[in-house]
Amino acid sequence: MSHLLEVRNLVTRFYTEDGIVHAVNGISYTLDEGESMAIVGESGSGKSVGVMSLIGLIPSPPGRVENGEVIYNERDLLKISAEELRRLRGREIAMIFQDPMTSLNPVLTIGRQLTESVKLHLGMGDEAAKERAVETLRLVGIPNARDRLTDYPHQFSGGQRQRIMIAMALLCNPSVLIADEPTTALDVTIQAQIVELVKQLQEKLGMAIIWITHDLGVVAGMVEKVAVMYAGFIVEQGPVRDLYKQPAHPYTLGLLESIPQLDQKEQNRLASIEGLPPDLLQEPNHCPFAPRCPFVIDKCWEENPPLHQVSPNHTSACWRWEDVREIGHFGGVA
């Protein structure tokens, strides 16, 4: 069976005055129709650059997709023309960005910004586009949707602006929705509402979702599989239940143990991952997590591990993945 989206060995670099930034280093994953996945990692791990590379949003210069294939509906998106990609982006693959205030145009009404998309991609006239905008705003829970088309972004709350961004992404009924940390700037209550809204919309509309986040806790109940990124590599990938129940990479273990639990005992302190993220200007020639890893051995400094098969559909880029699963806490045993 062919996948809706298949990313193969994607490599993205940025050429700067300081040197070459190795932002994405050969990542691969698949997404099927209606499936949901999360790409998780700390800031600078390559999550956002990886998905922006799929749909031609890497600024060039300084960025460049140097290698790989992005197969969507049997077409390689890295080889189609800029015009074809522009027509596909927004209509078939849509993206919700992190900060709606920088994504929405402050001097245009919400109605203008919403209707432009359906006029461009679906060829609708003014009235049909307006009705589609009203329908979609109602779908995402904006009250008095018709009256609010003449309002500007600053007249909405942060949560409402994020709902408008979701509405904008859904206008053309895309097959794939990419949500790039859409809850980061929101308070916890609104975060939960947005997560639940996206989950409901996926069930109703049947689209596939890639959820980008630094927080494993956010995606626990809403995705089927998770890819964990570190230093531009996917270091672990698998079904969400497997990955949460028995992580097989020290970095994943550290992320999970840093999430506060409601039943946390006072004596069980949250884990912290010591050290700093790697310098992406350096060509990686060993395990990038080695300087911060409690499981590190000599081999980790000699060779970057490939993804090892842990169980069906579950892989880990760690020489000691069996020890990680057996010990099961971030302290490790060197």
Side-chain angles (χ1 to χ4, degrees):
M1 185 187 81
S2 62
H3 303 285
L4 175 63
L5 177 71
E6 185 170 2
V7 179
R8 303 172 186 161
N9 196 34
L10 183 68
V11 176
T12 303
R13 302 277 183 263
F14 288 89
Y15 291 83
T16 71
E17 291 181 359
D18 296 324
I20 301 172
V21 179
H22 301 82
V24 176
N25 300 306
I27 64 173
S28 300
Y29 57 87
T30 62
L31 187 70
D32 294 328
E33 286 188 27
E35 188 177 35
S36 55
M37 74 172 289
I39 300 177
V40 179
E42 62 193 40
S43 296
S45 62
K47 311 181 302 294
S48 295
V49 171
V51 293
M52 291 171 72
S53 299
L54 308 183
I55 50 178
L57 292 180
I58 297 297
S60 179
R64 193 162 73 208
V65 179
E66 299 222 318
N67 193 27
E69 296 174 295
V70 179
I71 309 300
Y72 171 75
N73 276 344
E74 301 182 355
R75 287 184 297 169
D76 187 348
L77 300 188
L78 301 183
K79 292 181 178 174
I80 64 177
S81 68
E83 177 61 26
E84 286 179 288
L85 194 55
R86 187 184 67 82
R87 286 200 301 266
L88 179 141
R89 192 170 51 228
R91 178 168 184 170
E92 296 183 53
I93 301 177
M95 191 162 179
I96 308 167
F97 293 94
Q98 191 171 125
D99 183 2
M101 271 312 278
T102 57
S103 303
L104 293 168
N105 191 323
V107 300
L108 296 179
T109 65
I110 292 302
R112 170 80 181 275
Q113 294 183 64
L114 288 167
T115 54
E116 276 187 350
S117 177
V118 286
K119 287 179 183 178
L120 174 67
H121 290 298
L122 302 181
M124 287 185 175
D126 290 344
E127 279 307 309
K130 183 178 176 180
E131 289 305 313
R132 177 65 179 153
V134 170
E135 174 192 337
T136 311
L137 285 177
R138 286 174 178 158
L139 185 66
V140 299
I142 299 292
N144 305 315
R146 189 177 299 278
D147 296 336
R148 304 223 62 183
L149 288 180
T150 54
D151 287 347
Y152 291 85
H154 72 272
Q155 294 174 274
F156 294 85
S157 69
Q160 286 177 324
R161 286 194 292 266
Q162 197 55 277
R163 287 171 184 265
I164 291 165
M165 287 299 299
I166 294 170
M168 198 171 289
L170 297 179
L171 279 168
C172 300
N173 291 327
S175 300
V176 179
L177 178 66
I178 301 169
D180 187 5
E181 303 218 43
T183 63
T184 297
L186 306 174
D187 64 54
V188 175
T189 305
I190 305 301
Q191 277 187 19
Q193 291 176 9
I194 296 297
V195 168
E196 187 58 31
L197 172 64
V198 173
K199 190 174 177 180
Q200 290 172 359
L201 291 171
Q202 184 193 17
E203 291 172 0
K204 184 172 183 177
L205 303 175
M207 59 193 169
I209 292 183
I210 299 175
W211 191 279
I212 311 298
T213 182
H214 63 275
D215 187 353
L216 272 168
V218 167
V219 297
M222 63 175 298
V223 300
E224 293 151 89
K225 63 184 182 183
V226 178
V228 179
M229 285 193 71
Y230 186 80
F233 295 92
I234 289 179
V235 295
E236 185 168 7
Q237 187 168 193
V240 66
R241 289 192 179 190
D242 291 3
L243 195 130
Y244 277 71
K245 188 176 179 181
Q246 247 190 329
H249 193 281
Y251 180 59
T252 311
L253 201 56
L255 290 178
L256 287 169
E257 291 191 6
S258 67
I259 301 171
Q261 306 291 330
L262 288 175
D263 59 351
Q264 188 97 22
K265 295 178 181 178
E266 287 188 20
Q267 65 267 31
N268 293 338
R269 296 173 62 88
L270 294 177
S272 62
I273 302 175
E274 301 292 336
L276 298 171
D279 181 2
L280 298 181
L281 291 170
Q282 303 297 318
E283 182 90 44
N285 56 11
H286 56 73
C287 175
F289 193 58
R292 307 171 73 184
C293 182
F295 291 85
V296 67
I297 56 175
D298 289 345
K299 190 172 184 179
C300 304
W301 295 104
E302 296 163 2
E303 188 180 351
N304 193 357
L307 285 164
H308 299 279
Q309 195 75 35
V310 172
S311 61
N313 303 315
H314 187 175
T315 55
S316 170
C318 179
W319 295 118
R320 296 186 63 188
W321 65 265
E322 292 170 302
D323 294 334
V324 174
R325 282 164 68 97
E326 183 179 342
I327 294 168
H329 61 85
F330 187 67
V333 176

